[in-house]
Amino acid sequence: GENVEQHPSTLSVQEGDSAVIKCTYSDSASNYFPWYKQELGKRPQLIIDIRSNVGEKKDQRIAVTLNKTAKHFSLHITETQPEDSAVYFCAASLTGNQFYFGTGTSLTVIP
Amino acid sequence: NAGVTQTPKFRILKIGQSMTLQCTQDMNHNYMYWYRQDPGMGLKLIYYSVGAGITDKGEVPNGYNVSRSTTEDFPLRLELAAPSQTSVYFCASSTRGTGELFFGEGSRLTVL
């Protein structure tokens, strides 16, 4: 099956700085890559996703890039704010029947 | 529109006991999933279903069973609970494959 690796496991940034989280996947046939944010004690919620026919996608302060050749994708958060503090999970899917999640990155934004 | 509803939110079981985690969604989604979340391990898929009457194993199905008799409901059964099943369980649904997963609030299960 698919194997998704996520780095770093923890990340601390000053408010206003940028944060980057990276994921790699093993199955070159995977074609859908969502990112989920999970605040403490809450359910994961989708923040952005990208499909394999697109190289980059942006939504306000959040962007995702995909390099199919290298089999990696990254989440970029600019102008970080304290409310961005959470655990972020990347995932990869081929058919949508199974989503393979990374192990998560705990992001702390220091005011 | 309640979304995905899971019960119970918390449960303590003794080794060897059995229980069912309930999951209901009111969004008419065909796809439903059960995940477990352990610290530092991300989300692991236990079972999934692509429609009523159809279920299939995920990455970590041992010790669990599911059924899908209706579009709305997807209960997860734990037989002979073991300490290794201590975890937070999330039910999720989506309208189609490669689409947004809508998660329930989670069920924290402790097996002692």
Side-chain angles (χ1 to χ4, degrees), chain A residues 12-14 25-27 30 33 39 59 63 87 100 107:
Chain A
S12 292
V13 298
Q14 292 291 136
Y25 60 99
S26 60
D27 190 341
S30 289
F33 307 93
E39 297 175 356
D59 183 3
V87 178
Y100 295 89
L107 173 65

Side-chain angles (χ1 to χ4, degrees), chain A residues 2 31-32 36 38 41-46 49 51 87 89 93-104, chain B residues 4 31 33 35 37 40-45 48 50 57-59 90 94 96-101 103-105:
Chain A
E2 174 67 277
N31 57 13
Y32 175 63
Y36 285 82
Q38 185 178 29
K42 300 282 183 67
R43 72 190 85 188
Q45 292 191 296
L46 180 73
D49 57 11
R51 300 183 188 273
V87 178
F89 292 97
S93 179
L94 169 59
T95 63
N97 292 351
Q98 298 206 36
F99 288 80
Y100 295 89
F101 283 83
T103 49
Chain B
V4 179
Y31 289 72
Y33 311 80
Y35 287 91
Q37 184 175 35
M41 296 299 292
L43 292 149
K44 296 292 186 183
L45 181 65
Y48 67 97
V50 301
K57 296 177 181 178
E59 299 172 87
F90 284 98
S94 69
R96 58 181 172 88
T98 62
E100 179 176 1
L101 290 174
F103 286 88
E105 291 186 314

Side-chain angles (χ1 to χ4, degrees), chain B residues 6-112:
Chain B
Q6 286 179 239
T7 57
K9 287 187 170 53
F10 302 94
R11 183 72 185 268
I12 298 175
L13 278 182
K14 293 182 180 177
I15 294 172
Q17 286 186 321
S18 300
M19 74 160 297
T20 300
L21 296 175
Q22 301 290 346
C23 177
T24 298
Q25 54 93 5
D26 62 359
M27 297 175 283
N28 202 32
H29 286 172
N30 284 325
Y31 289 72
M32 295 189 75
Y33 311 80
W34 274 106
Y35 287 91
R36 59 177 287 172
Q37 184 175 35
D38 301 306
M41 296 299 292
L43 292 149
K44 296 292 186 183
L45 181 65
I46 305 170
Y47 271 95
Y48 67 97
S49 169
V50 301
I54 306 168
T55 62
D56 210 344
K57 296 177 181 178
E59 299 172 87
V60 290
N62 292 344
Y64 307 94
N65 274 302
V66 294
S67 60
R68 184 96 182 269
S69 57
T70 67
T71 299
E72 295 78 17
D73 299 309
F74 191 41
L76 178 72
R77 177 85 177 159
L78 282 73
E79 305 281 2
L80 299 175
S84 60
Q85 293 178 304
T86 294
S87 189
V88 178
Y89 292 84
F90 284 98
C91 179
S93 71
S94 69
T95 185
R96 58 181 172 88
T98 62
E100 179 176 1
L101 290 174
F102 293 85
F103 286 88
E105 291 186 314
S107 298
R108 183 175 293 276
L109 175 67
T110 302
V111 182
L112 299 173

Side-chain angles (χ1 to χ4, degrees), chain A residues 55-83:
Chain A
E56 184 174 357
K57 185 176 178 181
K58 204 170 181 180
D59 183 3
Q60 299 182 336
R61 297 185 298 106
I62 294 173
V64 57
T65 57
L66 171 64
N67 183 326
K68 284 166 52 180
T69 303
K71 289 189 283 189
H72 68 71
F73 56 113
S74 301
L75 178 71
H76 305 254
I77 306 174
T78 59
E79 300 170 19
T80 53
Q81 301 167 3
E83 52 265 38

